[in-house]
Amino acid sequence: MIGGHGSLATEHPIKTIGSFWPYATTLYDYIHRAMPLNAPQSLTPDEVYSLVAWLLHHNSIIPADMIIDAQTLPAVKMPNRGGFVPDPRPDVPGH
Ligand code: HEM
């Protein structure tokens, strides 16, 4: 979940939340819904925000003393935010 920065365009891309995920808020959502795998939805919102902050800091995306909450998290810009492009091809041929 940490590292891989700058590796996406290389021969061996390492897709982590830090190198790949376009939105920081997905972290809250994913951890809140699915983690820890052996006890999903057992964490309080504060605990989830703390884990999100820890992961973002260790991916060098936020400083160690930044408070992550419902106001600040949506403003965090992920490094690969600009790395996704829409696919203009129609879902169904001929439409
Ligand atoms: C509270 C502690 C935990 C946090 C914050 C956490 C966070 C995460 C996050 C952010 C991902 C997505 C990673 C990615 O797709 O790049 C993930 C995936 C995963 N985690 Fe956790 N995790 C926690 C505990 C655990 C535990 C205890 C287990 C195993 C018992 C576990 C097993 C998994 C597995 C198997 C995946 C991959 C799921 C998939 O790709 O379908 N996690 N976790």
Side-chain angles (χ1 to χ4, degrees), residues 6-89:
S7 73
L8 293 187
T10 69
E11 220 170 290
H12 301 286
I14 301 165
K15 292 181 178 176
T16 71
I17 59 169
S19 71
F20 186 61
W21 286 23
Y23 297 108
T25 46
T26 312
L27 266 176
Y28 184 96
D29 186 56
Y30 192 96
I31 295 169
H32 166 66
R33 286 176 201 263
M35 291 293 146
L37 194 66
N38 56 326
Q41 304 187 10
S42 60
L43 303 173
T44 65
D46 266 8
E47 288 171 331
V48 176
Y49 278 118
S50 300
L51 289 162
V52 168
W54 192 91
L55 286 166
L56 291 173
H57 172 59
H58 285 275
N59 272 291
S60 308
I61 294 167
I62 61 165
D65 59 357
M66 183 171 172
I67 307 239
I68 289 295
D69 58 22
Q71 272 67 50
T72 59
L73 184 59
V76 172
K77 190 161 183 290
M78 299 298 272
N80 195 40
R81 174 67 188 92
F84 290 80
V85 289
D87 184 341
R89 291 172 299 177

